[in-house]
Amino acid sequence: MAIILVFIAYIIYDGVKQAEFKPVTTAREIAVPFQEELWYLKDSIFTTLGELSAVTLTADEKIILAGDSFIAGYNEHHEIIWKLNTPQAITALAAGSDTVFASTRETVYLLIDGKIIDEYGPYDDNSLITGIASNKSFIAIADAGNKLIFVISKTGELKSILGQKGKRFVIPSPYFDVALT
């Protein structure tokens, strides 16, 4: 009890005491030569398919773009090789060995060569899937709405839920990502 009273007294004393203000010194520039040759734009892709929301690269170096109502695959020459219209906006993309995983707010689509081969979900009305990752065995789904990470097998079997039973992740914004190695 005495320690609490001493602490409160210190807070009051510190609050009323006139503090000496020292002038702020300006930071000096750090002299590091900029190596412009290390940073350059090699190429770019422009899409007129809609508003872009996600991008991933497949193992065979195809570029997958997704947005408000589409998923599209591009070859190394940036030509569209397939396009799929989606009923909802795509929120996240990941690429496996031959499968592309694309999520909406509550569902994950599995695609091969631009065709939906399966779908997992919907997960929950409060779901907001913002990140998805895959490796050889698993798919991890980051759900910012429920503050959970679902780990499922490639066959769709639920293996684990991280962040459950009162120990949910603290997510201050609707940006929540996940990675697998």
Side-chain angles (χ1 to χ4, degrees):
M1 181 71 163
I3 192 94
I4 294 172
L5 291 174
V6 170
F7 180 69
I8 292 172
Y10 173 76
I11 291 173
I12 294 170
Y13 168 76
D14 192 47
V16 249
K17 177 182 127 177
Q18 290 287 329
E20 275 186 46
F21 293 103
K22 297 181 181 175
V24 177
T25 57
T26 58
R28 59 184 169 87
E29 286 188 32
I30 301 172
V32 176
F34 180 69
Q35 298 177 349
E36 191 171 308
E37 66 275 1
L38 296 178
W39 297 94
Y40 64 94
L41 179 63
K42 182 177 177 183
D43 210 346
S44 59
I45 295 177
F46 296 99
T47 182
T48 58
L49 300 175
E51 186 176 331
L52 189 64
S53 62
V55 63
T56 193
L57 186 66
T58 64
D60 58 351
E61 298 187 2
K62 289 184 176 68
I63 301 165
I64 311 300
L65 302 179
D68 52 5
S69 61
F70 73 94
I71 307 169
Y74 290 78
N75 64 17
E76 65 276 3
H77 304 293
H78 303 171
E79 300 163 332
I80 293 179
I81 52 176
W82 56 264
K83 178 184 176 279
L84 177 67
N85 292 323
T86 58
Q88 297 177 351
I90 300 301
T91 58
L93 283 173
S97 56
D98 64 344
T99 308
V100 172
F101 304 94
S103 69
T104 64
R105 290 177 60 97
E106 59 191 34
T107 305
V108 176
Y109 297 109
L110 285 70
L111 297 94
I112 294 180
D113 295 325
K115 294 175 181 63
I116 296 175
I117 59 165
D118 205 351
E119 76 179 59
Y120 302 150
Y123 283 90
D124 189 87
D125 289 341
N126 295 328
S127 289
L128 176 56
I129 299 173
T130 55
I132 189 165
S134 71
N135 64 14
K136 291 179 183 175
S137 306
F138 300 104
I139 304 163
I141 302 163
D143 180 350
N146 292 306
K147 299 178 177 146
L148 298 171
I149 295 176
F150 298 94
V151 179
I152 58 177
S153 69
K154 294 282 181 125
T155 60
E157 179 185 353
L158 180 65
K159 293 295 185 178
S160 180
I161 299 175
L162 305 170
Q164 59 184 338
K165 295 191 185 198
K167 296 185 179 184
R168 294 180 182 224
F169 295 102
V170 177
I171 306 169
S173 68
Y175 301 101
F176 186 34
D177 208 355
V178 65
L180 291 175
T181 58

mmCIF file of all heavy atoms in Angstrom, residues 15-16 21 29 33 49-50 52 61 75 100 109 119 138 140 142 171 179:
data_model
loop_
_atom_site.group_PDB
_atom_site.id
_atom_site.type_symbol
_atom_site.label_atom_id
_atom_site.label_comp_id
_atom_site.label_asym_id
_atom_site.label_seq_id
_atom_site.Cartn_x
_atom_site.Cartn_y
_atom_site.Cartn_z
ATOM 1 N N GLY A 15 3.747 15.873 -12.371
ATOM 2 C CA GLY A 15 2.785 16.606 -13.182
ATOM 3 C C GLY A 15 2.780 18.094 -12.906
ATOM 4 O O GLY A 15 2.538 18.906 -13.792
ATOM 5 N N VAL A 16 3.018 18.501 -11.652
ATOM 6 C CA VAL A 16 2.991 19.923 -11.309
ATOM 7 C C VAL A 16 4.346 20.598 -11.453
ATOM 8 O O VAL A 16 4.411 21.815 -11.577
ATOM 9 C CB VAL A 16 2.475 20.151 -9.862
ATOM 10 C CG1 VAL A 16 1.148 20.788 -9.813
ATOM 11 C CG2 VAL A 16 2.662 19.022 -8.972
ATOM 12 N N PHE A 21 12.577 22.429 -20.518
ATOM 13 C CA PHE A 21 12.486 21.979 -21.883
ATOM 14 C C PHE A 21 13.804 22.238 -22.589
ATOM 15 O O PHE A 21 14.317 23.345 -22.566
ATOM 16 C CB PHE A 21 11.337 22.681 -22.621
ATOM 17 C CG PHE A 21 9.994 22.294 -22.082
ATOM 18 C CD1 PHE A 21 9.286 23.137 -21.246
ATOM 19 C CD2 PHE A 21 9.453 21.068 -22.403
ATOM 20 C CE1 PHE A 21 8.057 22.770 -20.741
ATOM 21 C CE2 PHE A 21 8.212 20.688 -21.902
ATOM 22 C CZ PHE A 21 7.514 21.543 -21.070
ATOM 23 N N GLU A 29 21.757 14.428 -41.790
ATOM 24 C CA GLU A 29 21.607 13.452 -42.864
ATOM 25 C C GLU A 29 22.720 12.426 -42.796
ATOM 26 O O GLU A 29 23.860 12.745 -42.470
ATOM 27 C CB GLU A 29 21.660 14.156 -44.222
ATOM 28 C CG GLU A 29 20.419 14.928 -44.533
ATOM 29 C CD GLU A 29 20.443 15.439 -45.954
ATOM 30 O OE1 GLU A 29 21.018 14.765 -46.831
ATOM 31 O OE2 GLU A 29 19.885 16.517 -46.181
ATOM 32 N N PRO A 33 25.669 6.820 -50.164
ATOM 33 C CA PRO A 33 25.450 7.024 -51.605
ATOM 34 C C PRO A 33 24.273 6.185 -52.091
ATOM 35 O O PRO A 33 24.125 5.032 -51.729
ATOM 36 C CB PRO A 33 26.762 6.562 -52.236
ATOM 37 C CG PRO A 33 27.410 5.685 -51.224
ATOM 38 C CD PRO A 33 26.930 6.143 -49.876
ATOM 39 N N LEU A 49 -9.341 -4.870 -66.449
ATOM 40 C CA LEU A 49 -10.357 -5.828 -66.024
ATOM 41 C C LEU A 49 -11.154 -5.349 -64.819
ATOM 42 O O LEU A 49 -12.254 -5.828 -64.571
ATOM 43 C CB LEU A 49 -9.709 -7.172 -65.699
ATOM 44 C CG LEU A 49 -8.961 -7.845 -66.852
ATOM 45 C CD1 LEU A 49 -8.260 -9.101 -66.376
ATOM 46 C CD2 LEU A 49 -9.917 -8.148 -67.994
ATOM 47 N N GLY A 50 -10.603 -4.441 -64.049
ATOM 48 C CA GLY A 50 -11.272 -3.945 -62.846
ATOM 49 C C GLY A 50 -10.253 -3.477 -61.841
ATOM 50 O O GLY A 50 -9.054 -3.440 -62.112
ATOM 51 N N LEU A 52 -7.740 -3.664 -58.995
ATOM 52 C CA LEU A 52 -6.824 -4.716 -58.563
ATOM 53 C C LEU A 52 -6.775 -4.790 -57.037
ATOM 54 O O LEU A 52 -6.689 -3.770 -56.359
ATOM 55 C CB LEU A 52 -5.431 -4.419 -59.121
ATOM 56 C CG LEU A 52 -4.367 -5.487 -58.961
ATOM 57 C CD1 LEU A 52 -4.754 -6.735 -59.732
ATOM 58 C CD2 LEU A 52 -3.034 -4.967 -59.459
ATOM 59 N N GLU A 61 6.152 -19.152 -63.058
ATOM 60 C CA GLU A 61 6.290 -17.723 -63.327
ATOM 61 C C GLU A 61 5.137 -17.093 -64.101
ATOM 62 O O GLU A 61 5.323 -16.134 -64.832
ATOM 63 C CB GLU A 61 7.641 -17.418 -63.981
ATOM 64 C CG GLU A 61 8.805 -17.784 -63.087
ATOM 65 C CD GLU A 61 10.139 -17.342 -63.626
ATOM 66 O OE1 GLU A 61 10.200 -16.699 -64.689
ATOM 67 O OE2 GLU A 61 11.141 -17.640 -62.964
ATOM 68 N N ASN A 75 0.899 -14.682 -68.964
ATOM 69 C CA ASN A 75 2.140 -15.386 -69.250
ATOM 70 C C ASN A 75 3.334 -14.441 -69.087
ATOM 71 O O ASN A 75 3.175 -13.277 -68.697
ATOM 72 C CB ASN A 75 2.100 -16.031 -70.649
ATOM 73 C CG ASN A 75 2.000 -15.006 -71.766
ATOM 74 O OD1 ASN A 75 2.255 -13.811 -71.587
ATOM 75 N ND2 ASN A 75 1.609 -15.472 -72.935
ATOM 76 N N VAL A 100 -3.953 -22.380 -57.852
ATOM 77 C CA VAL A 100 -4.046 -21.007 -57.357
ATOM 78 C C VAL A 100 -5.169 -20.983 -56.338
ATOM 79 O O VAL A 100 -6.246 -21.541 -56.569
ATOM 80 C CB VAL A 100 -4.331 -20.007 -58.505
ATOM 81 C CG1 VAL A 100 -4.627 -18.617 -57.956
ATOM 82 C CG2 VAL A 100 -3.167 -19.963 -59.473
ATOM 83 N N TYR A 109 -11.428 -20.297 -53.181
ATOM 84 C CA TYR A 109 -11.543 -21.043 -54.433
ATOM 85 C C TYR A 109 -10.206 -21.658 -54.782
ATOM 86 O O TYR A 109 -9.163 -21.030 -54.619
ATOM 87 C CB TYR A 109 -11.976 -20.123 -55.582
ATOM 88 C CG TYR A 109 -13.335 -19.505 -55.411
ATOM 89 C CD1 TYR A 109 -13.473 -18.150 -55.149
ATOM 90 C CD2 TYR A 109 -14.495 -20.272 -55.524
ATOM 91 C CE1 TYR A 109 -14.722 -17.568 -54.993
ATOM 92 C CE2 TYR A 109 -15.751 -19.704 -55.367
ATOM 93 C CZ TYR A 109 -15.853 -18.355 -55.103
ATOM 94 O OH TYR A 109 -17.087 -17.799 -54.941
ATOM 95 N N GLU A 119 -13.957 -25.492 -53.809
ATOM 96 C CA GLU A 119 -14.062 -24.300 -52.967
ATOM 97 C C GLU A 119 -14.233 -24.731 -51.534
ATOM 98 O O GLU A 119 -14.847 -25.761 -51.260
ATOM 99 C CB GLU A 119 -15.162 -23.360 -53.422
ATOM 100 C CG GLU A 119 -16.568 -23.755 -53.114
ATOM 101 C CD GLU A 119 -17.577 -22.721 -53.602
ATOM 102 O OE1 GLU A 119 -17.608 -22.436 -54.812
ATOM 103 O OE2 GLU A 119 -18.339 -22.225 -52.765
ATOM 104 N N PHE A 138 -0.121 -27.807 -46.736
ATOM 105 C CA PHE A 138 -1.194 -27.072 -46.070
ATOM 106 C C PHE A 138 -1.533 -25.758 -46.764
ATOM 107 O O PHE A 138 -0.757 -25.228 -47.541
ATOM 108 C CB PHE A 138 -0.804 -26.759 -44.618
ATOM 109 C CG PHE A 138 -0.528 -27.972 -43.798
ATOM 110 C CD1 PHE A 138 0.782 -28.335 -43.497
ATOM 111 C CD2 PHE A 138 -1.557 -28.770 -43.339
ATOM 112 C CE1 PHE A 138 1.046 -29.470 -42.746
ATOM 113 C CE2 PHE A 138 -1.304 -29.903 -42.586
ATOM 114 C CZ PHE A 138 0.005 -30.248 -42.289
ATOM 115 N N ALA A 140 -2.980 -21.989 -45.310
ATOM 116 C CA ALA A 140 -3.285 -21.186 -44.125
ATOM 117 C C ALA A 140 -4.134 -20.008 -44.568
ATOM 118 O O ALA A 140 -3.842 -19.358 -45.574
ATOM 119 C CB ALA A 140 -2.007 -20.709 -43.453
ATOM 120 N N ALA A 142 -5.901 -16.454 -43.244
ATOM 121 C CA ALA A 142 -5.987 -15.420 -42.221
ATOM 122 C C ALA A 142 -7.358 -14.761 -42.304
ATOM 123 O O ALA A 142 -7.714 -14.181 -43.323
ATOM 124 C CB ALA A 142 -4.885 -14.383 -42.414
ATOM 125 N N ILE A 171 -5.769 -7.454 -33.737
ATOM 126 C CA ILE A 171 -5.629 -6.921 -35.088
ATOM 127 C C ILE A 171 -6.268 -5.540 -35.105
ATOM 128 O O ILE A 171 -7.486 -5.417 -35.071
ATOM 129 C CB ILE A 171 -6.317 -7.842 -36.119
ATOM 130 C CG1 ILE A 171 -5.785 -9.259 -35.983
ATOM 131 C CG2 ILE A 171 -6.098 -7.315 -37.531
ATOM 132 C CD1 ILE A 171 -6.575 -10.270 -36.755
ATOM 133 N N ALA A 179 1.878 -16.568 -43.605
ATOM 134 C CA ALA A 179 2.883 -17.155 -44.504
ATOM 135 C C ALA A 179 3.203 -18.566 -44.017
ATOM 136 O O ALA A 179 3.162 -18.836 -42.825
ATOM 137 C CB ALA A 179 4.143 -16.308 -44.536
#
